[in-house]
Amino acid sequence: MCWSIAKSQLKENNSDENYVLTEKDIPFFFHVFLRKVYPIFTAYKEVIFAGEGRGSLEWRRSIYPDYKMNRAKRDDDPEYKLLKTLFPKVDALLNKFKCKVISVDGAEGDDVIYALTKYFTEQHEEVQVISSDGDFAQLLNFFEGVNVYTPLFKRSVTPKPNIIMEKAIIGDPSDGIPGIPRIGKKTLEKMLEDRTLWVKKMTPENEKIYESFVKIVDLSKAPEELHRNIIDKFNEKEYNEFNPDDIEAFFLDNNLRDCLMNWGRITSEIQLTLSNADKEVIDLSEYI
């Protein structure tokens, strides 16, 4: 999200719709990124960022090989290649704040958020999830004490009882899931009202397609071992210590002098927040 915001603002500032981000724009990206994450660190004591692990798509692609294959073409995009070089720096910066950055081999960020939400709610803790990914509406169907906030629309999402079924049948273009052929939103609405039509449309072949996509869409269907690995990683990793001096040094080392503006005030606000007991789980892709 911050990468897109930075690009949009630079296009406007340069009056150039074809503006391409280069290394000289990296400081501006970090300026946007920090502007978005500062409110998190000044509001919550326990912050967890969920990231992608190596081979994160493999187990879903073993069910449906074209899962998220539509995103592979961006790997040749020069801007995306530049963005990928920033991932280690973003990780290094976040690890200087009071938080945990959790990524596990074989797990997508969605899997991390599901596993941690399940773990915390089973301990009767309240959880705030921050992401504009619509998939997380299903957390409200699985668990109590969860709020999912979408920064894109600046509001909490409402429960969607049929979200898994809808995505498995209608599809999800953003994830490269086509759904069942010739069944769109309007047809599904009619099927839900007409049992005869449901039986007619859900042939044995379509039932098989549906069941395979449910395994991909339903976050509870991830391998149990993967969920255990996520919880083990969380419990093994300590919360980072908030180190203002190290963060300031990071700014200077990476030519981020503009980020030093108001740093003293931000530091004080974060330190005051460390007595807050709220817990927040964040989709890291939302902020990069």
Side-chain angles (χ1 to χ4, degrees):
M1 180 177 71
C2 291
W3 186 256
S4 298
I5 292 173
K7 183 173 181 176
S8 177
Q9 291 187 12
L10 288 167
K11 279 183 176 181
E12 183 177 342
N13 293 344
N14 289 276
S15 301
D16 182 1
E17 276 300 313
N18 298 314
Y19 188 87
V20 177
L21 274 70
T22 61
E23 288 193 15
K24 67 180 175 58
D25 298 314
I26 290 175
F28 184 65
F29 160 76
F30 274 103
H31 173 74
V32 174
F33 176 77
L34 287 164
R35 192 174 63 194
K36 292 293 183 181
V37 299
Y38 279 156
I40 294 169
F41 289 118
T42 57
Y44 296 91
K45 176 183 177 182
E46 296 186 355
V47 177
I48 304 148
F49 288 93
E52 303 285 315
R54 290 178 297 180
S56 62
L57 304 179
E58 289 180 1
W59 78 264
R60 287 186 171 91
R61 282 184 176 170
S62 70
I63 299 171
Y64 182 63
D66 287 338
Y67 174 69
K68 289 189 176 179
M69 196 63 75
N70 55 337
R71 303 183 186 184
K73 58 185 177 183
R74 69 180 181 178
D75 291 342
D76 295 325
D77 182 347
E79 286 187 337
Y80 184 67
K81 288 181 179 179
L82 177 61
L83 174 60
K84 287 175 70 174
T85 68
L86 299 181
F87 292 165
K89 286 188 176 182
V90 169
D91 188 72
L93 176 57
L94 289 176
N95 279 305
K96 299 180 188 302
F97 288 90
K98 184 67 180 288
C99 68
K100 294 187 184 186
V101 181
I102 304 295
S103 61
V104 173
D105 289 351
E108 295 189 69
D110 293 19
D111 298 316
V112 175
I113 290 177
Y114 173 87
L116 292 176
T117 300
K118 182 175 186 290
Y119 177 70
F120 296 138
T121 55
E122 286 178 347
Q123 299 180 56
H124 307 291
E125 294 190 57
E126 293 188 357
V127 179
Q128 169 94 315
V129 174
I130 294 186
S131 177
S132 294
D133 187 338
D135 289 352
F136 293 121
Q138 64 184 274
L139 296 177
L140 305 177
N141 301 333
F142 291 130
F143 312 114
E144 295 183 359
V146 180
N147 183 57
V148 180
Y149 179 80
T150 169
L152 183 63
F153 299 108
K154 297 182 179 180
R155 63 171 184 256
S156 296
V157 305
T158 55
K160 298 178 181 178
N162 294 326
I163 182 173
I164 294 171
M165 178 189 65
E166 289 175 0
K167 290 193 67 172
I169 293 178
I170 298 173
D172 184 354
S174 66
D175 286 344
I177 299 173
I180 297 175
R182 295 181 294 281
I183 298 182
K185 185 176 181 179
K186 291 184 178 180
T187 301
L188 178 58
E189 289 175 355
K190 293 177 181 178
M191 289 167 59
L192 292 174
E193 295 176 355
D194 185 343
R195 180 63 183 173
T196 301
L197 181 60
W198 177 278
V199 172
K200 179 180 178 181
K201 291 289 186 179
M202 295 302 286
T203 63
E205 181 180 354
N206 284 347
E207 281 282 1
K208 187 176 180 180
I209 295 172
Y210 171 70
E211 289 171 3
S212 66
F213 287 148
V214 165
K215 291 177 184 177
I216 294 173
V217 171
D218 187 339
L219 295 176
S220 71
K221 302 296 186 184
E224 187 59 35
E225 181 181 4
L226 195 62
H227 287 165
R228 287 196 300 269
N229 291 343
I230 292 167
I231 301 307
D232 288 345
K233 178 72 171 287
F234 172 80
N235 286 325
E236 290 167 3
K237 188 170 186 177
E238 298 292 333
Y239 278 97
N240 308 309
E241 291 299 323
F242 176 53
N243 194 321
D245 292 338
D246 278 358
I247 296 171
E248 186 171 331
F250 180 93
F251 293 159
L252 294 172
D253 291 343
N254 290 276
N255 193 30
L256 304 176
R257 289 172 177 79
D258 287 349
C259 295
L260 290 171
M261 296 175 60
N262 300 320
W263 178 234
R265 176 182 61 81
I266 296 295
T267 298
S268 299
E269 290 180 0
I270 291 174
Q271 288 172 332
L272 285 172
T273 301
L274 296 182
S275 61
N276 191 327
D278 290 343
K279 190 183 301 294
E280 186 166 53
V281 184
I282 301 167
D283 182 359
L284 184 53
S285 65
E286 178 70 37
Y287 286 86
I288 300 179

